[in-house]
Each structure stands twice: as structure tokens, then as C-alpha cells.
Amino acid sequence: MADRVRHLPVWQHVTYSKEIGPSQFGTQVTVGGWVQDLRNLGGISFLQLRDRDGVVQITTLKKRSKELFELVASIPRESVILVTGTVKESKEARAGFEILPETIDVLSRAETPLPLGVVDKVGADLDTRLNNRFLDLRKEEVRAIFRIESCVLEGIRKYLASEGFVEVNTPKIVAAGAEGGSTLFPIKYFERSAYLAQSPQLYKQNLMATGLDRIYEIAHAYRAEASDTIRHIAEFVSLDVEMAFIKSSEDVMAVAEGIVVNSLRHVRESAKDDLARLGLTVEDPQTPFPRVRYKDAVEMLKAEGMKIEHGEDLGTEGEKALGDIMNREKNCELYFISEFPTSLKRGTFYAKRMDEDPETTGYFDLDYRGQEIVSGGQREHRYDVLVEQMRENNFNLESFDFYLKGFRYGMPPHGGFGFGVERYVQKMLNLPNIREAVLFPRDRARLVP
RNA sequence: GCCCCGGUAGUGUAGCGGUCUAUCAUCCGAGCCUGUCGAGCUCGGGACUCGGGUCCGAAUCCCGACCGGGGCGCCA
């Protein structure tokens, strides 16, 4: 109360820093934000006030108002204040203008010391930052990541809508998993047990039997994998696409490619400021993305001296090495690894095997600089074959009855993929850890905040 | 799940058996300063994750717990 110069004003329009320009010079504005920094030089003080878009300087003169001057000097950093004052052109101020305050309201005083400095000249560990994410997000360069992520999703939605895809929502509380039970989070569902969905796989395939035959979903997926890595989290945003009446996995790859190309362009065009803040540029990738068949990838890795045999998984090491090769020899950051052998896709019981070669599927991964961001392909739509493939994998057919039913009454050929949105953003922005691309990440150790 | 590595002021670090009454920066507090924006100057404040053990002596060595980082497997 003591630091309030006057009573709170009737709510009035707050001008964002970005909106102030020469046309406001000499006029009165009200700005609101967080106290980023304060320089008190004795007779004059400079307060840097940060709002959503930038920083404005509030310049206070002792000789103009001792009371106001002392108030300014007493406000802890990161407090929220409302300043009403006159905009004055200034050669010294960074923005070209500053605000001479008439009134200052301290709306919320910040405690000291801060658990995490916003503009301190020392770094902080990711763990410390995530524990204090609201403060971390006060940094421009951190918020930029999430504005870009929003832009990515906007670009994806625009593109898919233009291709006739319908956005849907499927349940995240499910009775059975899409691929085995080990990675499911069990939950209580009234008197029964249920799981958090690890993938919308079964539902999006079910929809292919309806006439909603080009769909996508952007939603959380949950994986209880004990994976402590910089590219795994327990709750991630999955873009799932499914489309019917396809001829082969190629049709599916074309959409995956379209999503990447169009969202990259959208980011480049619409997120210029945020990219600049991060010191990044986004180039249009070369199209079409190269298709590296699995068997060719193995040969390429062998030629590099890697110990790998046909039928083995490429592994993290192999994926990274392939990323290096593609970058070095083709100057290429985005490429498909296609035609995965059936032996590596057995767990993926719904994957269609090639008619001419049952030992090979049309399944593909899309890798971005040596990391998998998309996985998909054509599904098996023939009921009898699907059931046989499930039996091979010892699936309990009864618990998949709702799923299998969809294949018995008219199911067109179809295919689709899962696309890891945060992984995509991680690679796009060169972030060292996927958690940087998640506001409040969930992993094996972290449940708060 | 497996394998490495690490936990020192609010934050980020140096120290790795006695010289530690623990370094530096940032930060916080008090003061000086009318053009600061990596401000400057003076003074002050604040830490060895926890529990055992070894030793004359432990921040330092050993064991355990807890917490964190990285890699692998697997995956988006």
C-alpha cells in the first residue's frame, strides 16, 4: 500500500510497447508489464519495463517528483506495474523514445531474490529453468519458441485443410493400447481400469471406414517408456494423419512431405521476428525429399564402416550417421527411410506388407537431421490378413473387437502416420533438448510444474 | 531397464585431504552519482544435498539414499 502513489485507476487501455511510435510522441499512454531492470543514477533513473512484445524505458527525474522517484527506486525487479505518462522522443533511449511517468501503480510486487533471473548475466540449468518455468518464459527467446510452435501448427492446419483433411478428436482414455501394453499408463476409470492413449491409431483407422476418409488429429499421446533421453517425453503432441483410397505408402509420404514443406514456409514467412530473436533462418527444403530405402541405408552405413547387418535396426547411432551422410553428400536435412523390412515392423501388426515381397513393408520414417520425426505407411485393410498378423503377434483379438469390426463391413485401403510435433520443432530450431519445446514437460522424473 | 558422469550462496561456478574463516561472477541489501542500457564506484549479505564410515583432520576419500546431466535400448 505504501508504494502506491494513487488508487488503482479505473481499467483503461494498456498500450503495448510495439504500438508506440512517433505518432504517440507528446501524448499520454498507459503501459503495463514487468520491471526488467532499474538504473538509479541519483537524480535520474531508468526503469526497463517489459511487456509481451518488448521493452520500454521509463525515465524518472528526482527534481520532477521526489515521491515518484523514490517509489521507482523501491520496486523489486519482475514486479508488475502500470505506468501512465508522456511519450517523449529520445536519442539516448534504445527504442527512440521513453516515457516520463505521471503515475505508477505497483500491481504486484515480486519477492526477492528471484529463484531464476530473467536477465541475469549468468546461465541456469534446464532443470532450474523448468522448475521456474513461468520466470523462464519471461525471456523473449524462450517465448519465441512457443510462438513459432504455434505458427508451425497453424501452417500444418492450413495445409491439411487445403487438402481436404478434417480435424478430429479421439479419446485419450482407452481400454486397450495400439501396440502392446508395456508403454501404457494405467488409470482408474470409475470402477474399471483403463489407460491413457499412447496413440490414436485404432480410432483413426476406424474412421477410414466412415467417409471421413481424410482426417488428422493434433493431441497429446502418452508413453510410459522408461526413456531418459533428450528426445523422449511421457506426454507429447502427436500429429496423426490418416487417409483412405490410397494406392501405396507413396501417397502417405506425399502428405507428410507437404506438411513439412508448408509449415516450414509458414514459419519462415510469419515468424520472422521470432526466428531473428533466436538467430535462426529457415530454408525451404529440396523437394521431393529423397527416399532412402532401408536396404540402401544399411549399405550406406556399411560403407562408412559401421557394423550393421540387413534386418537389424538402424539404431540411434545409425540414424545419426545417416543424417551426416545425407547432409554431407546431398546437402539434405529431410529424407525418408522407406521400405522397412517386415521383421522390424512385426510389433506394428497393422502395417501392410508388400504383395510382391511379404518380407518388406511400405513403412517409412521421415528423418530430420538424423532424427526420426515421422513414422507411418500403408495399413493392412483386409480383415483376414490383419487378423492373421495380429495372431502372429499374440494379440488378444477380443479386446480389439471394436477395431476389427471396422474392417468387416467395408474398409477401403488406407494409410497414415504419426508426426512428433515437439521433435519437429526441436530439430527445426536446433534445440538441445525436446523439453525446450514443451511448456511443462512430463518425463519419468518430472510431474511438476 | 542398462552404462557413464555430477550434486558448493537465490543463480552459475572454482576448489578435490590440513594453507577453506571456501574462489569468482551474478544476485540481494545500504550508500554515491542527471543519460543508463554488460552502467560505474564504496560497503555489506549469502553455500559445501542428506545419512553413515575412514582419518589426528573431510567440501575434498569410501558406502548408501535422494536429486540432476549424458549415452544406449525403444520410440514421435
Side-chain angles (χ1 to χ4, degrees):
Chain A
M1 289 298 154
D3 52 29
R4 189 171 291 163
V5 177
R6 63 183 181 107
H7 293 295
L8 278 176
V10 179
W11 186 256
Q12 53 190 294
H13 176 65
V14 170
T15 305
Y16 288 131
S17 60
K18 192 168 73 174
E19 299 169 332
I20 302 173
S23 59
Q24 275 77 39
F25 290 175
T27 69
Q28 191 184 68
V29 297
T30 297
V31 292
W34 290 262
V35 177
Q36 178 162 294
D37 198 15
L38 176 69
R39 295 274 141 69
N40 184 351
L41 275 62
I44 187 170
S45 74
F46 306 98
L47 183 155
Q48 308 300 334
L49 184 70
R50 183 188 64 249
D51 67 10
R52 58 175 284 159
D53 303 309
V55 175
V56 287
Q57 178 163 283
I58 313 297
T59 303
T60 312
L61 287 161
K62 194 184 208 167
K63 66 178 184 189
R64 257 182 111 210
S65 166
K66 190 159 181 284
E67 194 189 3
L68 204 56
F69 189 84
E70 280 168 3
L71 167 68
V72 167
S74 76
I75 306 171
R77 295 195 309 166
E78 296 304 322
S79 297
V80 174
I81 64 172
L82 211 55
V83 178
T84 299
T86 309
V87 182
K88 178 175 163 280
E89 187 174 10
S90 162
K91 278 198 273 295
E92 288 93 350
R94 283 262 162 89
F97 66 86
E98 60 196 357
I99 293 173
L100 307 179
E102 272 111 53
T103 62
I104 294 178
D105 292 297
V106 179
L107 302 183
S108 175
R109 175 178 279 265
E111 287 179 25
T112 59
L114 297 165
L116 173 70
V118 177
V119 289
D120 286 9
K121 295 162 196 77
V122 292
D125 292 340
L126 182 58
D127 189 53
T128 306
R129 292 173 45 209
L130 291 176
N131 284 338
N132 301 281
R133 195 54 149 159
F134 68 99
L135 280 170
D136 190 46
L137 283 160
R138 291 188 190 177
K139 301 171 192 162
E140 273 295 344
E141 70 276 17
V142 177
R143 285 205 307 286
I145 294 168
F146 296 97
R147 282 192 296 253
I148 291 172
E149 201 157 310
S150 168
C151 189
V152 166
L153 291 173
E154 188 178 70
I156 290 171
R157 286 193 163 99
K158 271 172 112 165
Y159 166 72
L160 286 172
S162 76
E163 292 291 329
F165 283 83
V166 174
E167 182 167 6
V168 301
N169 292 285
T170 65
K172 300 303 150 212
I173 302 173
V174 299
E179 31 206 298
S182 62
T183 69
L184 291 164
F185 284 109
I187 58 168
K188 262 190 224 157
Y189 186 68
F190 302 108
E191 290 78 34
R192 281 179 290 171
S193 59
Y195 303 98
L196 293 178
Q198 68 191 168
S199 157
Q201 183 65 31
L202 307 181
Y203 292 96
K204 61 180 185 168
Q205 284 195 262
N206 210 247
L207 287 171
M208 292 304 98
T210 67
L212 285 172
D213 62 0
R214 286 166 88 82
I215 58 102
Y216 72 99
E217 176 168 19
I218 297 170
H220 275 140
Y222 302 89
R223 304 268 165 100
E225 289 162 349
S227 298
D228 300 316
T229 81
I230 55 170
R231 62 190 177 281
H232 286 88
I233 40 178
E235 179 182 58
F236 69 97
V237 177
S238 180
L239 160 64
D240 276 274
V241 171
E242 202 71 25
M243 53 201 282
F245 296 103
I246 61 170
K247 276 176 80 175
S248 73
S249 292
E250 266 300 324
D251 299 321
V252 183
M253 290 158 89
V255 173
E257 181 171 323
I259 285 171
V260 171
V261 170
N262 284 277
S263 58
L264 280 176
R265 185 187 305 133
H266 190 61
V267 166
R268 198 192 62 221
E269 290 171 355
S270 305
K272 285 196 181 74
D273 292 351
D274 285 320
L275 285 172
R277 260 186 269 269
L278 295 172
L280 295 171
T281 53
V282 170
E283 306 292 334
D284 279 335
Q286 40 172 301
T287 54
F289 297 170
R291 271 70 166 161
V292 182
R293 285 179 299 185
Y294 164 85
K295 63 179 181 186
D296 296 329
V298 171
E299 292 309 315
M300 288 163 75
L301 292 172
K302 272 182 165 173
E304 290 282 303
M306 225 184 102
K307 280 178 72 181
I308 184 170
E309 293 304 323
H310 194 86
E312 285 180 38
D313 201 89
L314 265 37
T316 305
E317 193 194 348
E319 278 182 28
K320 286 177 181 167
L322 189 63
D324 290 341
I325 297 169
M326 294 303 288
N327 184 43
R328 190 177 68 224
E329 292 178 5
K330 304 242 164 79
N331 192 28
C332 171
E333 301 190 316
L334 285 148
Y335 48 89
F336 289 102
I337 304 170
S338 63
E339 298 185 17
F340 271 91
T342 302
S343 60
L344 289 177
K345 290 290 172 190
R346 289 215 187 271
T348 312
F349 64 84
Y350 44 82
K352 184 172 185 299
R353 298 164 191 180
M354 288 184 164
D355 296 330
E356 63 277 16
D357 175 16
E359 289 312 308
T360 303
T361 69
Y363 260 59
F364 63 85
D365 284 354
L366 174 58
D367 279 36
Y368 194 176
R369 288 195 211 112
Q371 184 174 121
E372 178 186 345
I373 58 167
V374 178
S375 190
Q378 180 169 3
R379 324 296 190 188
E380 180 52 68
H381 70 282
R382 296 165 298 183
Y383 178 78
D384 295 343
V385 181
L386 182 62
V387 166
E388 188 47 47
Q389 291 184 183
M390 289 179 82
R391 285 215 177 96
E392 253 179 51
N393 286 286
N394 300 316
F395 271 87
N396 174 8
L397 297 185
E398 277 169 32
S399 59
F400 288 85
D401 186 54
F402 89 94
Y403 170 70
L404 286 168
K405 226 178 186 175
F407 289 80
R408 295 208 300 264
Y409 303 96
M411 174 65 88
H414 63 275
F417 53 84
F419 182 119
V421 174
E422 290 111 335
R423 273 196 187 176
Y424 178 46
V425 172
Q426 181 194 357
K427 295 309 276 188
M428 184 192 297
L429 304 182
N430 248 321
L431 304 174
N433 192 312
I434 193 170
R435 291 161 183 78
E436 298 266 7
V438 183
L439 284 170
F440 301 103
R442 289 288 173 268
D443 58 38
R444 202 144 67 120
R446 182 176 289 280
L447 190 54
V448 175

